[in-house]
């Protein structure tokens, strides 16, 4: 007998885009208004680490100092800061050698540091919730195709050698080979990991920073690259749900993400989540995402004719069902 459950589905709320020229004073007012909207901020591991730096360490690192000052500016009673994405990063890294007890100690130390850092905003998750979340997911595959994604990234670095620029005349053929590689690993052609590989092929500097390609297979860290890429669907899962709850009268009207990774910052806005659907039953447990992808912005050096041909290849039936 099959157990049925009603799927949960969340959609992006109405949006409006305005373009205008602002004076410095008007821009300051807009920034202050933006910072005043009750927001749940998700932090990555590096940002969490920055909150633990001493004043002396910050004086030696201007970048981290600016990051910490930004966090301090957002330390307001209407906001909260979530550690959940950092936990997912820690859990999903299969290289981890820490024991369960050591990992729990690290996480509790991070949460203590966050609560000491923020004087007015709150840390969203209680310690007990985070530890239970960790214990339930430890050594479980967060993405079912994780091993395939890692194999794909290793091929992109080692065999396709996208660390180095590809001559424009050779790009389309290499793009076809990359899509064939994705097909061979049963990865949807429309998955972010594929879109970002193509972005690297077509000269997107931010995508290359995110991938952190290396000259040898031994130096390339596919786990690191995948952790950044998977922030895209993981954020989508939480963003649409939190913002839906905000429209229904919930405490937070917006979910935002703070990272110190320039590569991720440069590509994240190219993936706009529009819907997320959760299904849980005795037969199926999974999450399906729908994104609007700003593909032309990702493929920074592609010409119009080649763009149309590549777009046709991306949406062509490949016999692979999209899966995250």
């Amino acid at each position: 007998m099959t157990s049925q459950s009603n799927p949960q589905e969340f959609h992006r709320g109405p949006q409006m885009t305005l373009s205008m020229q602002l004076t410095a004073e008007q821009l300051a007012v807009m920034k202050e208004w933006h910072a005043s909207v009750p927001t749940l901020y998700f932090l990555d591991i590096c940002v969490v680490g920055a909150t633990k730096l001493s004043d002396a360490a910050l004086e030696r690192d201007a970048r981290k100092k600016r990051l910490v000052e930004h966090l301090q500016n957002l330390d307001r009673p209407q906001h909260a800061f979530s550690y959940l994405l950092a936990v997912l990063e820690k859990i999903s890294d299969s290289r981890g050698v820490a024991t369960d007890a050591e990992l729990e100690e690290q996480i509790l130390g991070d949460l203590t540091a966050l609560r000491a850092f923020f004087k007015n905003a709150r840390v969203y998750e209680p310690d007990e919730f985070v530890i239970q979340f960790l214990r339930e997911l430890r050594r479980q595959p967060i993405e079912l195709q994780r091993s395939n994604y890692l194999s794909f990234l290793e091929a992109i670095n080692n065999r396709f050698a996208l660390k180095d620029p590809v001559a424009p005349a050779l790009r389309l053929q290499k793009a076809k080979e990359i899509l064939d590689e994705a097909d061979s690993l049963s990865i949807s052609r429309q998955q972010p990991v594929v879109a970002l590989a193509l972005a690297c092929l077509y000269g997107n500097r931010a995508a290359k920073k995110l991938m952190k390609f290396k000259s040898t297979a031994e130096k390339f860290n596919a786990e690191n690259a995948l952790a950044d890429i998977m922030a895209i669907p993981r954020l989508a899962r939480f963003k649409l749900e939190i913002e839906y709850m905000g429209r229904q009268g919930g405490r937070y009207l917006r979910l935002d993400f703070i990272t110190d990774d320039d590569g991720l910052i440069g590509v994240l806005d190219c993936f706009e989540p529009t819907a997320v659907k959760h299904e849980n039953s005795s037969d199926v447990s999974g999450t399906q995402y729908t994104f609007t992808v700003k593909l032309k912005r990702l493929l920074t050096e592609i010409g119009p004719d080649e763009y149309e041909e590549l777009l046709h290849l991306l949406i062509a039936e490949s016999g692979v069902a999209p899966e995250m």
Side-chain angles (χ1 to χ4, degrees):
M1 184 174 179
T2 301
S3 173
Q4 300 289 341
S5 65
N6 293 325
Q8 287 185 302
E9 193 163 355
F10 302 95
H11 295 264
R12 183 187 64 193
Q15 292 187 333
M16 179 173 61
T17 301
L18 297 176
S19 296
M20 63 183 74
Q21 290 185 328
L22 300 175
T23 65
E25 293 78 9
Q26 290 171 330
L27 180 60
V29 170
M30 289 295 293
K31 286 183 175 179
E32 180 58 28
W33 170 81
H34 185 270
S36 71
V37 177
T39 302
L40 176 59
Y41 290 97
F42 275 54
L43 310 178
D44 71 6
I45 289 174
C46 292
V47 174
V48 173
T51 66
K52 298 188 282 187
L53 294 175
S54 65
D55 291 341
L58 292 174
E59 287 302 321
R60 295 191 298 269
D61 190 330
R63 181 186 178 91
K64 288 292 193 292
K65 184 177 180 180
R66 289 193 298 271
L67 174 61
V68 166
E69 288 172 347
H70 177 55
L71 293 172
Q72 289 170 334
N73 182 54
L74 296 176
D75 184 13
R76 308 179 185 204
Q78 69 267 36
H79 298 328
F81 291 83
S82 172
Y83 185 75
L84 213 55
L85 201 66
V87 174
L88 287 171
E89 285 186 71
K90 287 179 177 289
I91 293 171
S92 62
D93 189 346
S94 60
R95 300 166 300 161
V97 294
T99 66
D100 290 359
E102 289 169 340
L103 188 56
E104 289 186 16
E105 183 178 358
Q106 290 174 17
I107 287 172
L108 290 173
D110 286 349
L111 290 167
T112 299
L114 286 175
R115 292 196 175 89
F117 179 86
F118 293 111
K119 312 301 182 186
N120 302 299
R122 72 188 187 102
V123 176
Y124 188 66
E125 299 91 8
D127 291 5
E128 298 77 12
F129 174 86
V130 175
I131 295 301
Q132 183 62 32
F133 184 76
L134 168 69
R135 291 173 179 173
E136 289 177 359
L137 291 184
R138 181 75 159 147
R139 300 187 185 87
Q140 299 296 319
I142 298 176
E143 288 86 23
L144 295 178
Q145 288 191 299
R146 181 175 185 79
S147 62
N148 289 1
Y149 296 154
L150 291 171
S151 296
F152 179 79
L153 290 172
E154 288 164 357
I156 294 302
N157 182 82
N158 305 340
R159 185 146 42 85
F160 293 97
L162 292 191
K163 176 181 181 295
D164 302 316
V166 177
L170 303 178
R171 285 175 177 168
L172 184 58
Q173 178 57 37
K174 184 151 285 195
K176 293 176 180 178
E177 293 170 5
I178 288 171
L179 294 178
D180 287 342
E181 182 71 18
D183 291 347
S184 73
L185 292 166
S186 299
I187 298 173
S188 168
R189 293 183 173 195
Q190 298 171 34
Q191 221 279 344
V193 70
V194 178
L196 288 168
L198 295 173
C200 294
L201 173 64
Y202 284 94
N204 188 309
R205 294 183 181 181
K208 282 197 166 187
K209 282 186 178 181
L210 181 148
M211 292 290 195
K212 303 174 183 67
F213 293 128
K214 301 297 181 183
S215 56
T216 65
E218 293 74 24
K219 292 180 180 178
F220 178 60
N221 190 335
E223 290 271 6
N224 193 349
L226 186 61
D228 288 339
I229 295 169
M230 286 298 105
I232 296 169
R234 290 173 187 171
L235 278 168
R237 174 175 187 166
F238 297 112
K239 180 178 178 65
L240 295 181
E241 186 169 348
I242 290 294
E243 294 182 357
Y244 168 81
M245 291 166 60
R247 295 194 298 274
Q248 305 305 308
R251 183 169 181 174
Y252 303 105
L253 301 179
R254 185 177 60 196
L255 185 148
D256 209 349
F257 176 51
I258 302 176
T259 177
D260 194 35
D261 189 309
D262 283 340
L264 184 54
I265 291 169
V267 301
L268 190 59
D269 287 346
C270 294
F271 298 88
E272 189 173 326
T274 56
V276 61
K277 182 179 181 180
H278 307 298
E279 287 191 80
N280 288 286
S281 71
S282 60
D283 297 328
V284 177
S285 179
T287 301
Q288 184 178 26
Y289 304 89
T290 304
F291 287 92
T292 295
V293 180
K294 299 172 184 176
L295 191 61
K296 283 188 177 180
R297 184 172 156 190
L298 273 178
L299 308 177
T300 52
E301 296 177 2
I302 196 169
D305 293 339
E306 192 161 329
Y307 174 80
E308 291 299 326
E309 188 168 352
L310 182 57
L311 181 62
H312 175 74
L313 291 171
L314 285 170
I315 63 177
E317 289 293 330
S318 60
V320 180
E323 185 179 22
M324 291 280 186

